[in-house]
Amino acid sequence: MIRRKVNNNCHCEEFVKIPGLRRSNLVNLRLLRSLCSLAMTLLTFIFTLSSFAQDNPSSGELITKAWAAHGQKNIEDTFKYTNQVIELYSKEADSEQATLPVMPSKPPQIEAVQSLNDVATAYFIQGESYREQGKKDEAIAAFKIVVDRYNKAQSWDQRGWFWSVALAAQESIDKFNGTKVAPPPEPPKKFGPPTKIKLYAPGKEDFVYYEKYGTFENVGTKDYKYVVTDQEGLSIAVGEGIYPNTTSVRWDPEYKKALKENRLAGSHWDFLQTPDLEAAFLKWATASEPQGVRLFYAGFIFEKAGMVKEAIKCYYAIVVHFPGAYGWTYWHTPWYVGQAAINKINYLLEKNPKIGLKLMDADIRIINGYDNDISNDVAVTNPGKFVKTNFLEKLKAKPDTNMLTIKKRRGKGQVQVLQYETGDWQLLVDGKPYKIKGMTYTPTKVGQSPDKKTLGNWMEEDFNFNGKIDGPFDAFVDKNQNNIQDKNEPAVGDFKLMQEMGVNTIRLYHHPEAPNKEILRKLYSDYGVRVIMGDFLGKYTIGSGASWNPGTDYNNPEHRKNMLASVGQMVEEYRKEPFLLFWLLGNENVYGYACNADKDPEAFFKFANEIALEIKRLDPDHPVAICSGDILFLDKFGKFCPDIDIFGTNAYRGNYGFGFLWRQVKEEADKPVFITEYGCPAYAEGKSQEVSEAAQADYHEGSWKNIHANMAFESGEGNSIGGVVFEWLDEWWKAYEPSHHDTKGLWAGPFPDGFMHEEWLGVVGQGDGKMSPYLRHLRKAYFSYKRMWR
């Protein structure tokens, strides 16, 4: 018989023959002893692994306890838990570090090296603890271990992203050594035109008439397909790089030239932000990605090159050929490429009216598409068709609401939401339509950070001791951006600046710190700005009394009792305040950080509905809204939340707006909708301040126009009631070193350079930070809103 033997000396495998029983008894005895010994070794190994698993907590559990102990300044427990992590998991961490060719870029890959991440974080926490104790040498030594040994480790930030532990450790060392972290060099003010894309085989048709080259079958059903009957003709019509013309790229002389010049080396993902647009197109046109994803990014690159018609052809090819295509976001949630392609087409046609076309009836519905499981998704597709636009359509008269029948009315006081017989929704205040032109207002002084327990309360801070709250009343506009307050730059205050911009609403939470009622009353009486008042409903464990790990459990009676009490306190405290617009529950709880709403969305939404009923019992005069995360589990919200009046959601989708979100809410829940958060950084890697701020303004303008287009009696779904910009002022603490305006991208997303720069989200900046909390730099987005909102 043949058996496999492992040679422990050379770590290779050999095949050897084991003779039969005709060998001597001595040999058989030796063989028996060897087999017994091997069996005992295996049993011992299995027992050891089992004991290790049972007796030792995971590295993640220990790191959670270490962070908690560090936050409580419990030095003994901080080192107890971090030393446990280091002792138990260092060998595995070293091995993981050695096997990684590059730092992982996506959550599943990052989570696969948990020991590496947690051991590095343990040393980082020790460094932070030493720093707070004033032990400089010990702190630097701990940080250097991270930098030198674990430079590919990343740590999870409970706000929702991973961060480089080595980079944060190096910043801490630099701060100790008095080395200023230099900002990136400012690119030249004048930019040449981006590299043009010269197509070897440009398409013969600007807008392809697909019926000439094939047939559409089962339109509007799950069995839809387009059958090509003239592939050569279609390939010539669409042009190079657009399906089915996928081979001509390799014959393109520019492709051969780019290969020779080594301009196509590296991952295709690295080409999305390169200024060499020709190389980017050639790389993506030949990338090893599913056709739908490949076409989307080829279209994206055409857009950047100003080749709008080619971009539209790329996007429409997805709709025709690959309507059910999907990709994955940074968070490993499904991204439905066909739906995004339709939204892109509509955006480009709206932005380029000279084309004179619109896409009629195009629709892709993803059945079972509101969760993270793509195995049961079904695409129901209508590719639609391009038709000529009629200018008169935009001039259609709006109905007289006094002549319309009211189908639904929510709220019994001065604030109500109404649905008319047309299906359109409006928010009314004192009987008049109210569009939420909202702002997230949390002005934070440079140097403050919740991570370091130094974050102040903007409603109480008066650093110049003049009896006025700093941000709201003492802020000034740095008109010439010289980072000083000149004589012609008097204090005007944020409240006045927001009023001039057109803001009529801010969004606040009543905990963990109680708002200053007097300042909110003044904000309303003097500046006309109302307040959406929220309760986190257990997100980040606020209000539930749960520990961070495993977090709020919406089935736990004690947690539910605590949250009910928290909401009751909020309603009793603010229900009679004149500034109150309506109530808001949660903050994207469905993403599951420090709560189990992602694992048991049914329990979460059922509980949220119970809370809504309790609020209405205490206060029937104001509607109740929820703050969800995009449209994740939207179907469950529609099923289990009949008593929540307004669907609100945080959504960051790009400069083309929010796509099918409005229609999807109408179909699943039939509620009025507002975007509780949306925004864009004013920083883009490799771009000047001027170009970056222009890109931010473009993103905001596209977002607001989409919000407005879906309001009652406009061109869209008629269920939008407004949105809340995120945010007013840059917060410098979000990438960990609160005295440095950090430019590193925290996660990949649909932003000007492909990354979210969390410290640059303000439509207003703080200059170089030296005159914080007073200096204000008004960005282009501020003036865009001033034009749109006023």
Side-chain angles (χ1 to χ4, degrees):
M1 60 189 289
I2 303 292
R3 299 215 177 197
R4 192 167 64 174
K5 183 181 77 173
V6 177
N7 184 327
N8 291 320
N9 295 321
C10 65
H11 302 285
C12 60
E13 294 182 342
E14 301 172 348
F15 286 96
V16 297
K17 287 185 178 180
I18 300 180
L21 295 177
R22 287 179 294 177
R23 296 286 299 271
S24 68
N25 292 336
L26 179 61
V27 172
N28 287 330
L29 181 60
R30 287 174 178 171
L31 175 62
L32 181 61
R33 285 175 178 170
S34 297
L35 290 174
C36 289
S37 176
L38 177 61
M40 288 299 295
T41 301
L42 288 172
L43 287 172
T44 302
F45 179 69
I46 293 169
F47 178 78
T48 301
L49 284 179
S50 176
S51 299
F52 183 87
Q54 292 177 5
D55 298 342
N56 295 294
S58 70
S59 60
E61 292 172 328
L62 291 170
I63 283 296
T64 299
K65 292 178 180 179
W67 275 123
H70 177 60
Q72 297 161 3
K73 300 190 184 301
N74 185 332
I75 297 171
E76 182 179 348
D77 281 355
T78 297
F79 280 85
K80 169 187 170 184
Y81 295 126
T82 53
N83 283 331
Q84 271 189 278
V85 174
I86 292 165
E87 180 183 346
L88 295 172
Y89 297 98
S90 282
K91 286 185 179 179
E92 192 173 345
D94 292 337
S95 175
E96 290 172 348
Q97 168 75 20
T99 56
L100 285 176
V102 295
M103 181 181 286
S105 60
K106 293 187 177 180
Q109 302 158 354
I110 299 170
E111 291 163 356
V113 287
Q114 193 66 45
S115 294
L116 167 62
N117 298 332
D118 290 336
V119 169
T121 303
Y123 279 114
F124 182 83
I125 294 172
Q126 289 188 352
E128 288 288 294
S129 181
Y130 282 130
R131 180 165 68 171
E132 290 185 1
Q133 297 174 58
K135 297 180 177 180
K136 175 182 174 181
D137 294 340
E138 291 88 341
I140 290 177
F143 290 136
K144 274 189 67 62
I145 291 174
V146 179
V147 174
D148 295 341
R149 287 175 55 184
Y150 303 117
N151 65 336
K152 293 169 188 167
Q154 296 173 77
S155 186
W156 174 250
D157 186 289
Q158 305 296 355
R159 297 184 289 272
W161 57 78
F162 288 95
W163 50 279
S164 167
V165 189
L167 188 58
Q170 186 60 57
E171 288 177 353
S172 296
I173 293 171
D174 291 342
K175 188 173 181 181
F176 266 124
N177 294 334
T179 306
K180 283 194 173 182
V181 183
E186 185 77 4
K189 290 291 182 183
K190 293 182 180 179
F191 287 83
T195 304
K196 293 182 179 179
I197 300 172
K198 183 180 178 181
L199 295 176
Y200 168 66
K204 297 296 184 182
E205 298 178 19
D206 287 341
F207 291 88
V208 178
Y209 186 64
Y210 275 88
E211 286 84 348
K212 287 167 53 179
Y213 310 105
T215 59
F216 291 101
E217 298 182 0
N218 305 313
V219 170
T221 75
K222 63 182 178 62
D223 298 315
Y224 160 84
K225 62 180 177 179
Y226 175 70
V227 180
V228 180
T229 56
D230 181 4
Q231 182 152 329
E232 183 179 357
L234 181 57
S235 295
I236 294 171
V238 295
E240 180 180 349
I242 303 175
Y243 188 85
N245 191 342
T246 57
T247 58
S248 62
V249 177
R250 299 187 184 277
W251 297 100
D252 189 334
E254 295 302 323
Y255 176 73
K256 296 177 181 178
K257 180 182 176 184
L259 279 176
K260 188 175 181 180
E261 295 171 347
N262 203 34
R263 288 161 54 212
L264 302 183
S267 167
H268 48 277
W269 293 106
D270 296 333
F271 280 71
L272 287 177
Q273 303 305 328
T274 177
D276 187 349
L277 298 180
E278 182 177 72
F281 165 71
L282 295 171
K283 186 72 175 181
W284 267 96
T286 56
S288 57
E289 290 288 339
Q291 283 284 2
V293 175
R294 184 195 304 180
L295 280 167
F296 187 89
Y297 286 111
F300 171 74
I301 293 160
F302 277 137
E303 266 193 82
K304 294 177 73 172
M307 302 169 71
V308 174
K309 292 178 181 178
E310 287 80 2
I312 291 174
K313 281 198 289 185
C314 269
Y315 294 138
Y316 195 57
I318 300 170
V319 179
V320 171
H321 299 286
F322 311 105
Y326 62 88
W328 295 97
T329 69
Y330 172 84
W331 314 107
H332 204 65
T333 56
W335 163 56
Y336 295 105
V337 185
Q339 291 182 336
I342 292 175
N343 299 332
K344 275 283 193 179
I345 293 168
N346 291 333
Y347 168 75
L348 290 173
L349 291 176
E350 180 75 21
K351 198 167 185 179
N352 296 274
K354 289 183 179 180
I355 293 176
L357 294 176
K358 66 178 179 180
L359 182 58
M360 284 286 293
D361 300 325
D363 189 22
I364 299 173
R365 297 166 189 259
I366 307 295
I367 298 172
N368 303 319
Y370 294 116
D371 56 24
N372 294 329
D373 179 10
I374 51 90
S375 64
N376 61 352
D377 288 352
V378 177
V380 176
T381 306
N382 182 344
K385 61 178 60 179
F386 292 98
V387 299
K388 290 184 177 180
T389 53
N390 183 350
F391 176 71
L392 295 177
E393 289 178 352
K394 295 186 177 182
L395 301 178
K396 65 179 182 179
K398 296 180 182 180
D400 180 356
T401 55
N402 293 318
M403 304 298 292
L404 296 176
T405 302
I406 296 173
K407 285 176 60 178
K408 296 178 184 177
R409 184 190 302 268
R410 300 293 183 92
K412 298 179 180 179
Q414 65 170 165
V415 182
Q416 301 180 354
V417 284
L418 304 181
Q419 186 181 39
Y420 299 100
E421 60 185 88
T422 59
D424 297 84
W425 285 92
Q426 278 189 331
L427 174 65
L428 301 184
V429 177
D430 294 326
K432 297 179 182 178
Y434 187 98
K435 300 175 182 178
I436 300 172
K437 301 171 184 177
M439 185 62 64
T440 304
Y441 183 74
T442 52
T444 304
K445 187 178 186 299
V446 169
Q448 292 183 348
S449 169
D451 300 324
K452 301 180 185 301
K453 311 300 179 185
T454 58
L455 185 65
N457 183 349
W458 67 264
M459 294 188 179
E460 299 173 353
E461 292 176 331
D462 176 19
F463 287 105
N464 59 6
F465 305 106
N466 66 352
K468 295 187 292 185
I469 304 301
D470 292 329
F473 305 113
D474 283 339
F476 73 93
V477 177
D478 183 20
K479 298 175 184 177
N480 57 8
Q481 296 187 47
N482 64 353
N483 289 296
I484 61 175
Q485 185 172 10
D486 298 315
K487 290 182 179 180
N488 66 338
E489 296 171 345
V492 289
D494 288 334
F495 286 0
K496 181 64 176 175
L497 291 172
M498 286 196 291
Q499 181 190 46
E500 292 176 352
M501 177 179 167
V503 174
N504 64 6
T505 309
I506 66 170
R507 168 189 165 200
L508 286 178
Y509 287 84
H510 77 107
H511 52 179
E513 295 188 14
N516 182 334
K517 283 187 182 181
E518 290 303 319
I519 203 169
L520 296 180
R521 289 168 184 162
K522 188 171 184 63
L523 174 64
Y524 170 65
S525 63
D526 293 3
Y527 304 94
V529 178
R530 293 178 177 271
V531 176
I532 297 171
M533 186 62 71
D535 184 285
F536 282 108
L537 210 62
K539 183 66 183 291
Y540 319 114
T541 71
I542 298 174
S544 69
S547 60
W548 189 275
N549 189 10
T552 301
D553 178 357
Y554 294 99
N555 291 303
N556 183 302
E558 189 66 26
H559 295 177
R560 290 162 62 95
K561 177 183 174 183
N562 292 338
M563 288 184 281
L564 181 62
S566 174
V567 171
Q569 176 193 358
M570 173 184 73
V571 176
E572 290 297 338
E573 187 78 14
Y574 298 99
R575 63 188 176 88
K576 294 183 179 179
E577 291 295 337
F579 54 74
L580 178 65
L581 185 62
F582 55 74
W583 308 106
L584 185 67
L585 299 178
N587 180 47
E588 58 190 31
N589 299 47
V590 291
Y591 291 150
Y593 310 130
C595 73
N596 69 343
D598 60 330
K599 298 177 182 63
D600 194 349
E602 181 176 332
F604 167 69
F605 284 123
K606 283 181 175 179
F607 178 68
N609 197 68
E610 292 176 26
I611 290 291
L613 286 172
E614 177 62 14
I615 290 175
K616 292 178 179 183
R617 184 185 71 79
L618 297 172
D619 174 30
D621 293 336
H622 297 91
V624 180
I626 200 165
C627 175
S628 201
D630 209 277
I631 56 167
L632 188 59
F633 305 123
L634 175 62
D635 53 341
K636 292 194 172 5
F637 167 80
K639 183 176 181 180
F640 298 117
C641 293
D643 299 292
I644 292 179
D645 306 310
I646 302 168
F647 180 76
T649 190
N650 297 349
Y652 294 81
R653 294 196 177 189
N655 62 354
Y656 56 91
F658 306 95
F660 288 143
L661 182 148
W662 315 100
R663 191 202 70 199
Q664 289 166 320
V665 177
K666 178 183 280 189
E667 292 175 347
E668 295 294 335
D670 196 16
K671 310 267 190 184
V673 187
F674 81 112
I675 308 299
T676 42
E677 267 187 33
Y678 67 98
C680 175
Y683 173 85
E685 186 175 353
K687 304 295 183 184
S688 68
Q689 177 181 317
E690 182 180 1
V691 171
S692 298
E693 290 188 11
Q696 182 197 39
D698 175 71
Y699 186 111
H700 276 281
E701 190 166 326
S703 297
W704 178 256
K705 284 182 175 179
N706 185 248
I707 289 169
H708 186 269
N710 285 281
M711 288 182 175
F713 317 119
E714 298 293 341
S715 60
E717 298 297 334
N719 56 355
S720 167
I721 59 173
V724 181
V725 172
F726 196 91
E727 59 183 328
W728 174 252
L729 190 68
D730 289 345
E731 296 180 90
W732 286 31
W733 58 268
K734 292 196 169 180
Y736 316 106
E737 186 46 69
S739 297
H740 170 54
H741 206 183
D742 206 303
T743 57
K744 60 176 174 273
L746 296 177
W747 48 274
F751 305 108
D753 69 353
F755 289 93
M756 166 58 86
H757 300 276
E758 191 88 7
E759 294 193 359
W760 293 79
L761 283 171
V763 295
V764 175
Q766 300 202 59
D768 65 5
K770 292 177 182 176
M771 289 208 68
S772 180
Y774 307 107
L775 184 144
R776 300 292 183 259
H777 160 55
L778 304 183
R779 293 184 171 132
K780 292 182 180 182
Y782 173 92
F783 295 103
S784 292
Y785 278 113
K786 189 173 183 178
R787 184 180 68 254
M788 294 186 294
W789 284 358
R790 297 290 294 181

